[in-house]
Amino acid sequence: DNLAGLLLCFDHERAARPSFAVRQACELLGFLVATRRGELLEVQRLRGQVRAGTRCTQLLARLSPEQIGPAELLTGQPGVLDLINADGAAWVSADGPLRTTGRTPSDDALRALAQWLDAEVARPVFATRSLEQVYGPARELRSSAAGLLAVQVPGEPAGWLLWLRGELASSVSWN
């Protein structure tokens, strides 16, 4: 996610020979720009943490004692997609109805994924950037489920809260 660059200025016809003072000034300017960029990135990261904490508090405050359950977190504002940068989210339980929000695979594909998680994942939290590397059928789901964060929720009904991200296909042309 980091992009670093080098700015070069040159003249094909004659070589530039800046003085020592100009070279020092350029070095200082580069240092100041890099330092300021680092500070801005840190401020951006901290603001994101504050926003996530605020959304989490708002989300928990929405739940009334009568409707505590992961499925309810998918509806209303804020919702689970406000907590994590994902394209879609789903609540999948073996016994109850399936609930989704955002861009998700089909209900059948989500149920199959939850069954695989139950059988193959021995921990309550599972995350991957490339679902197809660990779950073969995900090759067909790239547009909506290339990445996955899954949280197993115990209780009645027990199930999986899933956050899904679609494939980000991009190409870079250096011409």
Side-chain angles (χ1 to χ4, degrees):
D1 292 351
N2 293 332
L3 178 64
L6 175 65
L7 179 62
L8 297 174
C9 300
F10 58 94
D11 185 342
H12 288 285
E13 296 178 12
R14 62 182 177 90
R17 302 202 191 290
S19 67
F20 178 73
V22 169
R23 290 194 312 268
Q24 278 191 318
C26 289
E27 183 178 341
L28 177 61
L29 178 62
F31 173 78
L32 292 174
V33 167
T35 301
R36 180 68 177 142
R37 180 178 179 273
E39 291 170 352
L40 290 174
L41 290 174
E42 179 65 9
V43 166
Q44 184 179 18
R45 185 186 69 77
L46 292 172
R47 283 183 180 157
Q49 285 182 339
V50 169
R51 274 193 306 273
T54 301
R55 288 178 184 147
C56 188
T57 301
Q58 291 169 340
L59 194 62
L60 292 173
R62 271 191 37 232
L63 296 175
S64 69
E66 300 85 43
Q67 61 173 181
I68 292 177
E72 285 74 27
L73 298 177
L74 295 174
T75 59
Q77 288 296 325
V80 293
L81 288 180
D82 295 314
L83 293 177
I84 294 177
N85 184 16
D87 298 323
W91 165 250
V92 186
S93 66
D95 304 338
L98 185 136
R99 299 238 183 123
T100 63
T101 186
R103 190 174 50 159
T104 62
S106 69
D107 289 2
D108 290 339
L110 287 169
R111 288 197 188 283
L113 176 58
Q115 288 172 351
W116 175 82
L117 288 164
D118 284 333
E120 300 295 325
V121 176
R123 55 189 185 274
V125 177
F126 174 78
T128 180
R129 292 177 184 222
S130 182
L131 184 57
E132 71 181 68
Q133 288 183 353
V134 293
Y135 177 63
R139 285 181 190 84
E140 306 301 320
L141 310 174
R142 285 185 197 145
S143 64
S144 58
L148 169 70
L149 170 61
V151 177
Q152 190 175 33
V153 180
E156 285 298 322
W160 289 92
L161 189 54
L162 310 174
W163 285 269
L164 305 148
R165 292 186 82 180
E167 179 179 50
L168 283 174
S170 64
S171 60
V172 176
S173 175
W174 296 98
N175 297 335

